[in-house]
Amino acid sequence: MKIFVCIKQVPDTTNVRINPETNTLVREGVQSIINPFDVYAIEEGVRLKEKHGGTVTVITMGPPQAAEALREAIGLGADNAYLVSDRAFAGADTLATAFALACAIRHLGGADIILMGRQAIDGDTGQVGPGVAENLDISHVTDIRKIEEIVDGRIVVERLLEEGYARIAARLPVVLTVVKEINTPRMPSLKGKLAAKKAEIPVLKASDIGADVERLGLNGSPTQVMKIFTPPKPGGGRKFTGEPADTVSALLSELTAAGITIKGAH
Amino acid sequence: MNYFLTDDQKMIKDLAAQIAREKIAPIAAELDESGEFPWDVVKTLAQSDLFRVFVPSEYGGLGGGMFEMCLVVEELSRACSGIALAYAASGLGTIPIILFGNEEQKKKYLPRLAAGEILAAFGLTESGAGSDAAAIKTTAKPDGDSYVINGTKQWITNGGEASIYTVVALTDPVRGVRGSSTILVDKDHPGFTFGKKENKMGIRASATRELVFQDCRVPKTNLLAKEGMGFLVAMKTLDQSRPGVASQALGIAQGALDQAIRYSRERHQFGKPISAFQGIQFMLADMATQVEAARALTYAAARSIDAGEKDVSRLSAMAKVFASDTAMRVTTDAVQVLGGYGYMKEYPVEKMMRDAKITQIYEGTNQIQREVIALGLIKESVRNQK
Ligand SMILES: Cc1cc2nc3c(=O)[nH]c(=O)nc-3n(C[C@H](O)[C@H](O)[C@H](O)COP(=O)(O)OP(=O)(O)OC[C@H]3O[C@@H](n4cnc5c(N)ncnc54)[C@H](O)[C@@H]3O)c2cc1C
């Protein structure tokens, strides 16, 4: 089975600070880590390989230093890794990123299963997974909490919903984005870390993956960031405290006074 | 302080520290209470290849030595020395196989021990033979192709949990110590059972049990080295393993120091953090100085062993004595720095103080270690005079 995992290197937001004047992230001294959700995707890929055989290939689109995240992924059990990196990719939004990753996966011979985290903790969009699937013209299921079985090119997964879950069957190849409930990622191993240290991480440029430059980077990104700011705290609001019987009638009379009627209330 | 670790040694230390932080620290108090054996952590250590670090590469190891083992034990012990002992005691049981096993024995046991699939243990002590290990009574009577073992070993770490036991017994009781031999016994051998688990003051997550042998028949191929060499095997093994106990003590001491420093900055009395008082500062300074000295001596001992130095008994004993006495002092002082809170189970230092005590007792009490050191000094002086 050919398993791909797409990962992203992100700032470790557990100790991130915001500059109150510019409202931007203070990046100095902030460590880069593998996007936490992606660690679960790597673990799931390694487990699939252990169960069904095959290879786990990790790719990321990012600057040269993102190779560190790929090395770490090899330490966690991935077999090989590719860095998709080129000036042409700079300024990519989720559309251009998904396009570039899809081109890279196609260039590398395609996949049976492509795993990703449900979203990156810096952008929080959750769009790249479905975007890659659309570009490759294959199906996708997001927010997977369990892979039940893979038999004869058919996969059955559980998709986490707000209440409960949905059981979904799909044909391979497929893109799956995973939630943290899916597994407990293992600790890195020394053998993995030694392999990571020695691993060669090929760099794929825009020309290598045969991507149309018009659809890459800033050129291929319809999203424009106008401004980044901390939203103002919503003002107002009132809390009714006391015995339920009193607070409910106080609330109702307040609503009535405001001209709002509630069906069934009397 | 720069201890000139190689990149690989740093990697080992960092990984052990990560496991200690993420997998051991959160369960240390619970296992201290319940006494449950830490199989989950053992599995994690195995998956992370930490059991491989001191095993030769021909047998599935990563080819390091005692120093690498010490780095792991120290880091794990910072979070919980009881849990760390499952690892360290397996190391103690593995060392005689590495040092004295023949090719067949090494091939049979080391790859599985290196992978952490099984644990080892070392059985020397008996009820009447503690410091005076030569007083052991357990016999292994030669009978055709087998030895028939009878007797009881007491307080054996990893007892009942380990799959392979290095046992010292008398193959020729008339000759006393000179008639002792070391024999490998598999857990499931008929005639081999375990006593109840001991209820201990500290290191409560570690399993301590009796090994009971009743007409336990093991093949002669399980003999390590030669008949009559049992005591030598045991002593050489302990010479190598004592820096491991020193590292355990060092880890406990460092863990207690970490707690004391953090607490002293948070706790306010008389309108100031208690770290502003010289009485506390001097205590912290002395604790840190002793810990660093213990580390230097322990690392020196482990590295001398790995460098193949001939007579390591004395240095190894010095490291064990100094680090364990340091652990006892530093943990006691850490409780003092935390005051009444330090005495409560909500904070980890009272456990560390209980855990520290054993490091002054096992693998040879500190009195016996001092005897080893002094005898070494005297012998050397006599030699030099001739
Ligand atoms: C939790 C635990 C785990 C253990 N794990 C193992 C294990 O895995 N394998 C194993 O084989 N053993 C193990 N032991 C046994 C341990 O090594 C012995 O307890 C230790 O060697 C001391 O022996 P003892 O307890 O009989 O004390 P004793 O020998 O009775 O000593 C009592 C006191 O007398 C002192 N003393 C004795 N002789 C002298 C002397 N000549 N000069 C001065 N002082 C002396 C001692 O220092 C001590 O203070 C373990 C013990 C414990 C408590």
Side-chain angles (χ1 to χ4, degrees):
Chain A
M1 188 175 317
K2 285 183 73 178
I3 303 156
F4 272 70
V5 186
C6 301
I7 68 170
K8 183 177 187 185
Q9 192 181 42
V10 296
D12 186 355
T13 49
T14 45
N15 6 313
V16 107
R17 284 175 304 126
I18 306 246
N19 180 332
E21 270 147 41
T22 58
N23 271 327
T24 51
L25 291 184
V26 180
R27 296 223 173 219
E28 291 89 70
V30 178
Q31 271 208 328
S32 291
I33 55 168
I34 298 179
N35 175 43
F37 290 107
D38 301 351
V39 176
Y40 296 81
I42 295 168
E43 173 68 25
E44 199 60 23
V46 175
R47 288 188 188 192
L48 283 179
K49 174 187 127 175
E50 283 167 356
K51 202 165 158 197
H52 301 278
T55 52
V56 178
T57 303
V58 183
I59 63 171
T60 189
M61 189 189 91
Q65 62 266 30
E68 272 319 298
L70 294 173
R71 274 187 205 287
E72 203 183 323
I74 288 177
L76 292 170
D79 298 293
N80 43 49
Y82 293 87
L83 174 64
V84 185
S85 189
D86 194 322
R87 280 186 178 283
F89 300 131
D93 68 0
T94 52
L95 190 73
T97 302
F99 176 69
L101 288 174
C103 288
I105 292 169
R106 200 182 288 124
H107 165 76
L108 293 168
D112 296 307
I113 294 185
I114 300 166
L115 290 157
M116 305 196 197
R118 67 170 299 187
Q119 69 203 59
I121 55 166
D122 55 351
D124 272 340
T125 69
Q127 292 170 349
V128 172
V132 168
E134 287 309 305
N135 274 293
L136 293 171
D137 201 17
I138 60 177
S139 31
H140 73 263
V141 192
T142 54
D143 298 345
I144 297 308
R145 67 162 206 186
K146 187 178 176 188
I147 295 179
E148 265 183 27
E149 58 169 31
I150 303 174
V151 183
D152 299 332
R154 183 173 174 274
I155 188 168
V156 180
V157 297
E158 288 180 13
R159 174 169 199 256
L160 185 70
L161 302 175
E162 228 154 80
E163 284 176 57
Y165 65 92
R167 256 179 105 235
I168 295 176
R171 286 254 142 239
L172 299 186
V174 67
V175 172
L176 305 174
T177 76
V178 305
V179 294
K180 289 189 174 179
E181 286 77 1
I182 194 163
N183 58 43
T184 308
R186 72 195 64 190
M187 285 281 152
S189 71
L190 289 172
K191 282 187 168 179
K193 278 176 177 269
L194 289 169
K197 218 166 74 177
K198 283 189 240 136
E200 288 218 17
I201 302 197
V203 178
L204 301 178
K205 298 197 162 300
S207 53
D208 296 326
I209 59 175
D212 173 3
V213 277
E214 282 311 304
R215 296 182 62 187
L216 293 176
L218 219 44
N219 288 340
S221 299
T223 315
Q224 282 183 32
V225 179
M226 311 297 291
K227 186 180 164 197
I228 296 177
F229 60 95
T230 313
K233 281 212 175 89
R238 255 190 65 206
K239 199 169 170 183
F240 294 85
T241 50
E243 289 300 310
D246 305 334
T247 52
V248 169
S249 57
L251 172 64
L252 283 177
S253 55
E254 193 111 340
L255 290 174
T256 318
I260 300 167
T261 49
I262 294 179
K263 270 194 193 158
H266 44 87
Chain B
M1 184 119 156
N2 189 340
Y3 287 105
F4 302 101
L5 304 193
T6 63
D7 284 350
D8 287 1
Q9 287 163 348
K10 273 185 210 143
M11 192 190 280
I12 290 168
K13 186 177 157 71
D14 289 348
L15 184 54
Q18 188 186 352
I19 292 174
R21 215 168 38 238
E22 294 178 20
K23 303 282 176 190
I24 297 181
I27 58 166
E30 187 188 321
L31 266 56
D32 176 50
E33 199 71 35
S34 70
E36 189 192 322
F37 192 78
W39 275 115
D40 281 352
V41 176
V42 168
K43 270 192 200 120
T44 303
L45 296 173
Q47 257 188 356
S48 299
D49 299 323
L50 288 178
F51 283 100
R52 296 185 197 276
V53 301
F54 56 90
V55 176
S57 34
E58 306 93 278
Y59 308 103
L62 291 169
M66 286 305 107
F67 186 45
E68 280 78 7
M69 180 173 112
C70 285
L71 290 174
V72 175
V73 173
E74 178 187 348
E75 289 304 327
L76 302 184
S77 299
R78 269 171 94 156
C80 176
S81 58
I83 295 177
L85 186 57
Y87 175 86
S90 190
L92 172 64
T94 306
I95 291 168
I97 306 177
I98 296 175
L99 291 182
F100 297 100
N102 58 34
E103 192 56 27
E104 206 175 309
Q105 290 163 339
K106 287 182 180 173
K107 274 195 183 137
K108 182 170 175 196
Y109 294 109
L110 291 182
R112 286 165 69 212
L113 287 164
E117 283 166 27
I118 55 169
L119 295 177
F122 180 77
L124 173 61
T125 304
E126 297 177 9
S127 59
S131 299
D132 184 10
I136 56 167
K137 294 251 155 44
T138 298
T139 55
K141 205 173 144 214
D143 180 23
D145 293 343
S146 318
Y147 293 111
V148 181
I149 308 179
N150 277 290
T152 300
K153 294 288 168 186
Q154 176 176 273
W155 299 337
I156 305 309
T157 304
N158 281 353
E161 311 294 339
S163 300
I164 179 70
Y165 297 78
T166 310
V167 175
V168 188
L170 302 172
T171 40
D172 188 356
V174 187
R175 301 189 66 210
V177 162
R178 282 158 201 266
S180 71
S181 304
T182 327
I183 299 166
L184 297 168
V185 188
D186 289 284
K187 185 183 183 182
D188 47 17
H189 251 94
F192 180 18
T193 54
F194 301 95
K196 71 163 187 2
K197 194 163 161 172
E198 302 292 345
N199 188 6
K200 303 188 295 291
M201 170 186 190
I203 54 164
R204 291 173 52 80
S206 98
T208 316
R209 288 194 176 89
E210 273 180 352
L211 314 182
V212 183
F213 299 98
Q214 288 164 305
D215 291 329
C216 172
R217 190 174 277 274
V218 298
K220 276 194 170 164
T221 50
N222 282 23
L223 174 72
L224 271 183
K226 294 203 177 82
E227 277 186 22
M229 281 177 69
F231 217 63
L232 180 94
V233 170
M235 293 308 129
K236 291 277 173 210
T237 297
L238 292 170
D239 279 350
Q240 296 243 327
S241 71
R242 277 183 190 122
V245 180
S247 305
Q248 188 189 17
L250 179 58
I252 300 171
Q254 181 68 57
L257 175 62
D258 295 343
Q259 295 288 338
I261 296 170
R262 185 172 332 135
Y263 183 86
S264 72
R265 292 173 49 223
E266 287 164 4
R267 173 69 171 172
H268 283 67
Q269 288 291 278
F270 302 100
K272 290 180 191 157
I274 59 168
S275 62
F277 303 125
Q278 200 177 55
I280 296 288
Q281 288 174 353
F282 280 15
M283 237 198 293
L284 293 175
D286 285 342
M287 289 159 79
T289 306
Q290 291 171 52
V291 168
E292 211 53 70
R295 183 170 289 120
L297 187 52
T298 302
Y299 287 8
R303 283 174 152 156
S304 299
I305 290 168
D306 292 343
E309 199 123 313
K310 245 189 160 168
D311 187 14
V312 291
S313 302
R314 216 193 309 166
L315 189 56
S316 165
M318 285 174 178
K320 195 266 184 188
V321 166
F322 191 79
S324 59
D325 286 351
T326 296
M328 202 62 243
R329 262 195 312 271
V330 168
T331 53
T332 307
D333 284 349
V335 171
Q336 194 68 21
V337 169
L338 270 76
Y341 292 98
Y343 200 72
M344 301 296 156
K345 297 223 178 221
E346 279 73 20
Y347 286 85
V349 289
E350 64 81 30
K351 169 181 181 291
M352 290 168 165
M353 185 173 160
R354 286 185 283 114
D355 288 349
K357 186 63 209 173
I358 192 62
T359 62
Q360 295 179 306
I361 297 172
Y362 61 17
E363 293 197 30
T365 66
N366 282 8
Q367 287 71 30
I368 296 299
Q369 302 305 309
R370 288 183 166 91
E371 196 168 79
V372 168
I373 297 164
L375 280 179
L377 291 173
I378 294 161
K379 265 193 210 157
E380 190 176 64
S381 166
V382 170
R383 237 189 349 257
N384 290 346
Q385 227 168 23
K386 277 184 192 162

